[in-house]
Amino acid sequence: MRFITAGLIILFCGLALSVFVWPQDTIRFESTRVQKMVLCLEDKQIPCRWVGNYNHELGMPIFNYIAPLPYYVGGLLYFVTRDLELVTKILYLLPGVVILLLVGYVLNFRQNKVLFGSVAMVIIVGLYWYLVGGVKLNLGICWFLGCLLLVVFSLSRLSKTPTIRSMLILTTSGVLFLLSDISAVYIYAIGVILVSIYVGLKRRNKLTLLFATSFFLTVGVAAFYIFPMVIESDLVRQNAINEEYLPVSVRSVPGDEILPEVSVLVGSADIFGYEERTNRFRFGIENNDHTIVRLAIPYYPNWTIKANGERVNNYYENNSLGLITLIFGEGRFVVEGKLEDTPVREISNIVSGVTMVLVLFLLFSEMGHIRNGVAYYLKALHS
């Protein structure tokens, strides 16, 4: 076992060294995403549905379509470190740490050592090769690899010890896996089918019930991401090469020119007090005649725009970039816009919220010592 421990330490040092000499262009690429998630968290836009000034200086619903888990973790870490580059490097390192810890635990304390050792070493070698080779590897793939082993470990535990606690561990690892990378959704679906066949052949009713419960809880908690990603996939133009998720209203890719925040296309007007956050904007306009203005924000359902509290029409179809375009008559207006949730996103949020409460309730019911401690505390308050 000493050789195993020494090998794990060497691999960990190699991973850490590789991450901290990672090419700067890749670090900047992922740091930008982390920065946008930080802005979402600051705006209390949870889940994060829209970020501004991202691709071609336009906004996009990127976290509706790429798995958001690494960036939520990165956003929270940023509030502690206040260093985007450091946070990004930590995010690259965390999956390797999870893998190495699980491998050490499995090889030292668990049965099925050949299975777990083989899977773990393949993942570690693959991850290490990518890091040392300097190949551009996004955070999602790294987290996918780490969470994959976590799911395998949890599934093995449930098979050997079919309890509610094991089911909750599998549920937690399943949620982390689904939110790690977009490819995890399809791998998870295939895995569920294969495991369902295996469980059905074993004819173990308790195991079947616990596995089915874990599946529904996992999908329920991750619904805020999975449902919009699948159902609203036709609302964006997906470009795997450039990793773009621009709304379909953007019919042509903009050039390098940076567009002004608000442009007056027709008439003359004074624009003042422009403010823009991740999913909302606000500005004032005063004009003496018919005026058309255009914002550097592409339309995506459900942008709702109001002038002096009354909803106004958006003529985004009239330009190839799909930019929000508004028409005003004479007067002074306070214009406010906000990206509201579509019915799909609203239902997804509700499903995730309700399921998460249920999972926390089950988790709390399994943690007897915590429950007894809280009961003692409440009893002391009433005495």
Side-chain angles (χ1 to χ4, degrees):
M1 293 303 173
R2 292 180 179 177
F3 291 105
I4 293 174
T5 303
L8 293 175
I9 293 174
I10 292 172
L11 283 172
F12 173 78
C13 293
L15 285 169
L17 178 63
S18 299
V19 166
F20 281 89
V21 297
W22 189 250
Q24 287 301 308
D25 59 337
T26 303
I27 293 296
R28 284 193 295 268
F29 176 79
E30 293 293 357
S31 294
T32 301
R33 290 182 171 182
V34 175
Q35 180 188 36
K36 296 304 180 182
M37 180 58 75
V38 169
L39 294 176
C40 279
L41 295 177
E42 288 178 343
D43 288 349
K44 299 180 176 60
Q45 187 199 162
I46 304 173
C48 183
R49 300 297 188 189
W50 182 270
V51 296
N53 301 322
Y54 181 72
N55 203 341
H56 303 288
E57 298 301 322
L58 301 177
M60 61 179 4
I62 185 170
F63 295 116
N64 273 6
Y65 300 97
I66 67 166
L69 176 63
Y71 307 103
Y72 279 116
V73 175
L76 294 175
L77 286 175
Y78 175 79
F79 292 120
V80 177
T81 66
R82 297 293 174 176
D83 188 328
L84 280 173
E85 183 175 332
L86 175 62
V87 166
T88 305
K89 291 177 178 179
I90 292 174
L91 291 176
Y92 270 111
L93 187 60
L94 279 178
V97 174
V98 171
I99 292 172
L100 295 174
L101 290 176
L102 283 175
V103 171
Y105 177 78
V106 166
L107 294 180
N108 282 280
F109 302 106
R110 303 290 291 181
Q111 298 177 355
N112 258 343
K113 293 181 181 179
V114 175
L115 172 63
F116 278 96
S118 300
V119 172
M121 293 309 296
V122 167
I123 294 175
I124 291 175
V125 171
L127 182 59
Y128 184 77
W129 181 80
Y130 269 110
L131 291 173
V132 172
V135 179
K136 181 179 178 180
L137 186 67
N138 63 43
L139 280 175
I141 297 298
C142 294
W143 282 64
F144 169 87
L145 294 172
C147 294
L148 175 61
L149 183 58
L150 193 61
V151 170
V152 174
F153 168 79
S154 304
L155 192 57
S156 175
R157 176 190 171 98
L158 179 64
S159 178
K160 292 181 175 62
T161 313
T163 62
I164 293 179
R165 182 171 298 183
S166 297
M167 182 271 293
L168 290 173
I169 292 175
L170 178 60
T171 299
T172 302
S173 61
V175 171
L176 296 178
F177 182 65
L178 283 177
L179 299 180
S180 65
D181 186 69
I182 188 171
S183 59
V185 176
Y186 307 104
I187 300 297
Y188 184 81
I190 295 172
V192 166
I193 295 173
L194 295 176
V195 173
S196 298
I197 295 173
Y198 169 80
V199 171
L201 293 175
K202 288 292 184 179
R203 296 182 178 179
R204 296 167 60 183
N205 294 335
K206 184 177 182 180
L207 179 61
T208 302
L209 178 61
L210 289 172
F211 176 73
T213 303
S214 176
F215 167 74
F216 285 110
L217 291 177
T218 299
V219 174
V221 173
F224 75 92
Y225 164 66
I226 296 175
F227 291 178
M229 187 269 290
V230 174
I231 299 174
E232 296 187 339
S233 61
D234 61 337
L235 298 182
V236 292
R237 297 194 301 107
Q238 299 185 33
N239 185 330
I241 297 177
N242 297 323
E243 298 186 79
E244 294 179 342
Y245 291 91
L246 290 170
V248 292
S249 61
V250 182
R251 299 188 298 277
S252 65
V253 178
D256 297 330
E257 180 183 358
I258 298 178
L259 301 173
E261 296 169 335
V262 184
S263 302
V264 178
L265 303 182
V266 176
S268 60
D270 293 327
I271 307 295
F272 55 91
Y274 184 84
E275 300 175 4
E276 183 180 350
R277 300 299 299 178
T278 51
N279 66 333
R280 62 185 185 271
F281 63 83
R282 186 177 190 272
F283 67 92
I285 177 172
E286 185 172 3
N287 59 311
N288 297 319
D289 54 7
H290 176 81
T291 304
I292 300 177
V293 300
R294 179 170 292 164
L295 281 67
I297 300 175
Y299 177 75
Y300 178 74
N302 246 0
W303 271 109
T304 301
I305 304 163
K306 296 181 179 180
N308 293 344
E310 296 185 2
R311 191 161 181 169
V312 297
N313 292 326
N314 176 12
Y315 300 93
Y316 66 91
E317 303 98 332
N318 296 334
N319 64 95
S320 62
L321 295 181
L323 301 180
I324 293 175
T325 305
L326 310 172
I327 299 178
F328 298 98
E330 180 182 349
R332 182 185 178 92
F333 305 91
V334 175
V335 184
E336 297 176 300
K338 184 178 181 180
L339 181 68
E340 306 284 355
D341 280 333
T342 61
V344 170
R345 293 173 224 154
E346 288 180 346
I347 293 173
S348 302
N349 293 344
I350 293 172
V351 171
S352 288
V354 172
T355 310
M356 193 172 296
V357 170
L358 178 58
V359 169
L360 291 175
F361 173 79
L362 292 173
L363 184 63
F364 182 75
S365 67
E366 286 295 301
M367 301 173 69
H369 61 287
I370 293 181
R371 187 172 63 254
N372 293 336
V374 172
Y376 177 81
Y377 177 74
L378 293 176
K379 183 178 178 180
L381 287 178
H382 289 88
S383 61

